[in-house]
């Protein structure tokens, strides 16, 4: 197999890695906000449940979580799992895990807001939702952007964990090619791919940070 | 007419009784200064008067409309809708300004009138320009709060409060975060407002200012009003505590 053929195969894996990345962000960013609200809820039960949830998601390996989501239905309920379920399991696993991390980032940002901002908004008659949407959230986004960038970069690299349930993303294919062709080329190509991907992520996030630097 | 009426207000935090049976009336056009040592409860009184803090017991009303009343030794507040309407009667200027850092000066002033009061954008912006001019900040409309000095920020926050067209304006130690020169800027603005008969309640450490601008001074200590009256009455009082307190400022 020539290098160009190998690269063709790797390109397919790249596409898979990209959609895992995209779909995970698409769902985990908003879900994280819901979980953050649960975590800050005044209701003890809601707060307790989200706290346990976050604790489990952060306290166990993502690799293990992916396996539980994928094999769980069969081992626990005897449900036959179709090969396509792989893709769904990957999304569920990644979204649940990343939402927990994002929730904690949101919470740290929201709780770092000075109480005076809420009081000023209250005196001016803003409703609770107006206060959050127009006064608090824009400032929170600016504050948490560096932490979010960190998490997003980790996600790019974490997509390679999908290999444990045999989703043919970039890393899975690189590994298979490397052993079948006894070549380092797939690993080098994979390394370059992850690096370039993250370089782009960092560049975009920096642009957004710059865009928000009009105030302090 | 009494613009603000507080009767038998009680407030405690945990074990600490901060306000012990305080009653205070503010009439239309009156400028009331609340003075007293730190920990006397004057800031808490202001926070209760602006409903940032809930009272434990007592009565509270604005322009003759009731916000809270006493029932079986406990304060009962009116429905949220009613409170929202009452809250539109007053504004508050904070010690730390609390401007919105992500909004320009113009947007800080105009956003609430447009979004909350649903007023015409153009009309609000016209009023904001007039207010900025009055504050000597007509060239700062597009600046962001971080680009302004403390005194300028405080003047913006006064303009922001005024643009809501409040009937009463509360000030919570408006000059405490400012150096003496910037303090002068703010005091002049408040003096001008007093000349326009704006009803104001000011918690302050500026004794000379209280004496010159207020037409009613309330001296608080340990959660009670020790004495209240016309400035001259207080500043020439024989009360030992007031003399001691004012003496410290004259040194």
């Amino acid at each position: 197999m020539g290098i160009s053929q190998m690269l063709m195969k790797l390109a397919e894996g790249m596409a898979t890695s990209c959609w895992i990345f995209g779909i995970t962000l698409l769902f985990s960013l908003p879900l994280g906000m819901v979980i953050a609200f649960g975590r800050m809820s005044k209701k003890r039960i809601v707060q307790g449940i989200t706290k346990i949830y976050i604790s489990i998601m952060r306290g166990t390996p993502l690799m293990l979580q992916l396996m539980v989501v994928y094999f769980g239905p069969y081992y626990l309920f005897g449900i036959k799992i179709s090969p396509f379920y792989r893709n769904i399991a990957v999304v569920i696993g990644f979204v649940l895990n990343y939402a927990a991390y994002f929730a904690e980032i949101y919470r740290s940002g929201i709780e770092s807001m000075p109480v005076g901002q809420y009081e000023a908004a209250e005196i001016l008659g803003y409703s609770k939702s107006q206060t959050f949407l127009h006064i608090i959230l824009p400032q929170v986004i600016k504050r948490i952007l560096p932490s979010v960038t960190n998490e997003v970069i980790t996600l790019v690299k974490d997509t390679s964990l999908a290999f444990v349930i045999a989703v043919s993303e970039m890393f899975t294919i690189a590994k298979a090619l490397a052993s079948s062709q006894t070549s380092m080329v797939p690993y080098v190509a994979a390394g370059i791919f992850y690096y370039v991907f993250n370089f782009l992520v960092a560049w975009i996030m920096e642009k957004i940070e710059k865009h928000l630097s009009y105030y302090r | 007419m009494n613009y603000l009426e507080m009767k038998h207000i009680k407030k405690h935090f945990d074990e600490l009784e901060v306000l012990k049976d305080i009653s205070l009336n503010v009439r239309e056009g009156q400028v009331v200064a609340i003075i007293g040592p730190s920990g006397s409860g004057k800031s808490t009184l202001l926070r209760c008067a602006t409903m940032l803090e809930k009272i434990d017991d007592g009565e509270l009303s604005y322009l003759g409309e009731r916000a809270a009343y006493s029932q079986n030794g406990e304060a009962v507040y009116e429905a949220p809708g009613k409170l929202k309407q009452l809250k539109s009667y007053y504004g508050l200027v904070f010690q730390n300004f609390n401007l919105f850092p992500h909004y320009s000066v113009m947007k800080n002033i105009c956003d609430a009138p447009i979004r909350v009061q649903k007023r015409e954008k153009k009309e609000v912006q016209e009023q904001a320009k007039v207010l900025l001019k009055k504050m000597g900040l007509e060239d700062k409309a597009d600046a962001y709060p971080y680009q302004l000095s403390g005194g300028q920020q405080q003047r913006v926050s006064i303009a922001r409060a005024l643009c809501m067209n409040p009937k009463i304006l509360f000030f919570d130690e408006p000059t405490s975060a400012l150096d003496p020169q910037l303090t002068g800027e703010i005091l002049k603005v408040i003096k001008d407002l007093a000349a326009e008969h704006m009803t104001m309640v000011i918690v302050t450490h500026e004794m000379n200012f209280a004496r010159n601008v207020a037409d009613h001074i309330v001296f608080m200590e340990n959660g009670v009003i020790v004495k209240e009256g016309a400035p001259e009455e207080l500043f020439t009082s024989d009360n030992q505590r007031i003399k001691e307190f004012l003496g410290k400022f004259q040194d």
Side-chain angles (χ1 to χ4, degrees):
Chain A
M1 195 185 281
I3 285 184
S4 62
Q5 269 172 302
M6 275 196 256
L7 290 181
M8 282 293 284
K9 288 219 161 188
L10 286 168
E12 277 171 41
M14 260 181 231
T16 307
S17 296
C18 286
W19 77 247
I20 295 174
F21 172 83
I23 303 269
T24 301
L25 279 190
L26 188 68
F27 289 108
S28 63
L29 283 171
L31 181 62
M33 192 55 88
V34 176
I35 296 167
F37 279 126
R39 180 70 182 77
M40 294 183 292
S41 167
K42 286 194 185 95
K43 291 199 180 81
R44 278 284 171 80
I45 302 177
V46 180
Q47 202 193 87
I49 291 171
T50 43
K51 217 170 157 177
I52 291 168
Y53 169 79
I54 291 169
S55 170
I56 292 172
M57 285 299 151
R58 295 204 300 185
T60 59
L62 175 53
M63 194 188 278
L64 179 79
Q65 291 164 18
L66 286 172
M67 290 167 93
V68 167
V69 173
Y70 183 51
F71 297 113
Y74 176 72
Y75 287 133
L76 291 173
F77 311 110
I79 299 168
K80 257 197 136 186
I81 41 183
S82 70
F84 182 72
Y85 178 62
R86 259 191 247 291
N87 299 322
I88 294 171
V90 150
V91 169
I92 294 174
F94 273 97
V95 168
L96 290 184
N97 180 281
Y98 270 80
Y101 281 95
F102 285 133
E104 285 297 273
I105 292 175
Y106 294 150
R107 185 172 70 95
S108 72
I110 292 169
E111 288 182 347
S112 76
M113 287 297 294
V115 68
Q117 292 287 303
Y118 290 95
E119 290 184 345
E122 189 186 332
I123 288 288
L124 290 166
Y126 289 91
S127 68
K128 283 225 160 80
S129 59
Q130 284 173 332
T131 302
F132 183 74
L133 235 55
H134 300 289
I135 308 298
I136 303 299
L137 188 61
Q139 298 183 57
V140 166
I141 289 174
K142 181 184 164 91
R143 283 172 188 228
I144 63 172
L145 217 51
S147 316
V148 170
T149 303
N150 254 335
E151 216 48 56
V152 174
I153 284 175
T154 307
L155 173 61
V156 170
K157 293 178 287 184
D158 272 0
T159 55
S160 64
L161 288 173
F163 90 94
V164 293
I165 54 174
V167 170
S168 49
E169 46 68 58
M170 180 74 183
F171 186 71
T172 315
I173 291 175
K175 211 167 133 245
L177 281 176
S179 45
S180 70
Q181 308 293 315
T182 54
S183 161
M184 268 296 281
V185 174
Y187 284 143
V188 173
I192 293 172
F193 164 74
Y194 289 119
Y195 182 79
V196 171
F197 198 155
N198 272 330
F199 190 85
L200 282 175
V201 167
W203 183 75
I204 290 168
M205 296 307 272
E206 205 185 305
K207 284 268 166 215
I208 300 174
E209 269 182 53
K210 264 217 184 100
H211 181 70
L212 292 179
S213 67
Y214 68 90
Y215 73 91
R216 269 178 232 155
Chain B
M1 182 184 193
N2 279 337
Y3 267 29
L4 171 70
E5 215 172 309
M6 302 178 92
K7 274 189 203 158
H8 307 297
I9 303 291
K10 292 188 183 113
K11 174 76 187 172
H12 70 93
F13 294 114
D14 296 323
E15 297 292 288
L16 187 69
E17 259 193 283
V18 188
L19 301 177
K20 306 165 189 165
D21 196 12
I22 293 228
S23 297
L24 178 71
N25 280 333
V26 179
R27 287 192 311 276
E28 178 178 1
Q30 218 175 15
V31 178
V32 175
I34 304 174
I35 60 173
S38 301
S40 59
K42 52 193 193 309
S43 269
T44 306
L45 180 65
L46 197 82
R47 289 175 62 81
C48 287
T50 51
M51 293 201 266
L52 285 176
E53 215 62 78
K54 283 203 161 176
I55 56 174
D56 297 333
D57 190 16
E59 283 175 49
L60 178 62
S61 63
Y62 305 90
L63 284 77
E65 293 177 55
R66 193 172 71 178
Y69 58 97
S70 176
Q71 198 178 53
N72 304 326
E74 234 178 282
V76 181
Y77 278 85
E78 297 289 340
K82 177 71 185 170
L83 293 183
K84 200 178 160 115
Q85 181 213 332
L86 295 178
K87 280 178 179 174
S88 71
Y89 292 162
Y90 58 82
L92 169 61
V93 174
F94 295 85
Q95 183 176 348
N96 307 315
F97 333 134
N98 290 335
L99 291 174
F100 303 131
H102 58 309
Y103 285 170
S104 68
V105 165
M106 197 61 173
K107 189 151 188 200
N108 260 286
I109 299 173
C110 295
D111 194 63
I114 294 168
R115 206 186 295 282
V116 176
Q117 296 181 326
K118 310 256 182 276
R119 281 158 57 191
E120 201 64 48
K121 191 174 170 184
K122 233 183 135 161
E123 172 244 333
V124 173
Q125 282 177 338
E126 284 307 313
Q127 187 185 355
K129 275 181 202 155
V130 172
L131 285 169
L132 278 176
K133 190 151 192 225
K134 206 160 131 187
M135 301 291 150
L137 295 170
E138 56 266 58
D139 54 336
K140 298 290 183 193
D142 298 323
Y144 283 85
Y146 81 92
Q147 296 165 317
L148 305 178
S149 73
Q152 289 171 329
Q153 288 189 47
Q154 191 59 299
R155 279 180 280 158
V156 172
S157 92
I158 294 172
R160 178 174 74 171
L162 287 172
C163 206
M164 301 290 283
N165 298 321
K167 301 274 186 206
I168 318 165
L169 196 49
F170 293 92
F171 293 82
D172 185 8
E173 301 188 17
T175 59
S176 293
L178 305 173
D179 64 41
Q181 194 195 337
L182 299 179
T183 296
E185 296 176 4
I186 301 306
L187 299 185
K188 188 185 168 301
V189 167
I190 298 175
K191 220 170 177 173
D192 292 346
L193 287 172
E196 293 167 23
H197 306 293
M198 181 81 203
T199 308
M200 292 185 281
V201 180
I202 309 163
V203 169
T204 184
H205 288 299
E206 298 288 329
M207 292 308 136
N208 282 329
F209 171 70
R211 190 175 190 166
N212 291 329
V213 176
D215 38 42
H216 191 81
I217 296 187
V218 175
F219 178 78
M220 276 183 76
E221 188 168 44
N222 295 324
V224 294
I225 294 177
V226 176
K227 192 176 170 62
E228 60 178 315
E232 287 321 308
E233 212 177 304
L234 252 101
F235 278 85
T236 55
S237 167
D238 292 333
N239 184 306
Q240 199 51 39
R241 280 303 301 133
I242 300 177
K243 271 174 123 171
E244 263 175 47
F245 178 72
L246 293 175
K248 271 180 208 147
F249 280 93
Q250 269 142 25
D251 288 342

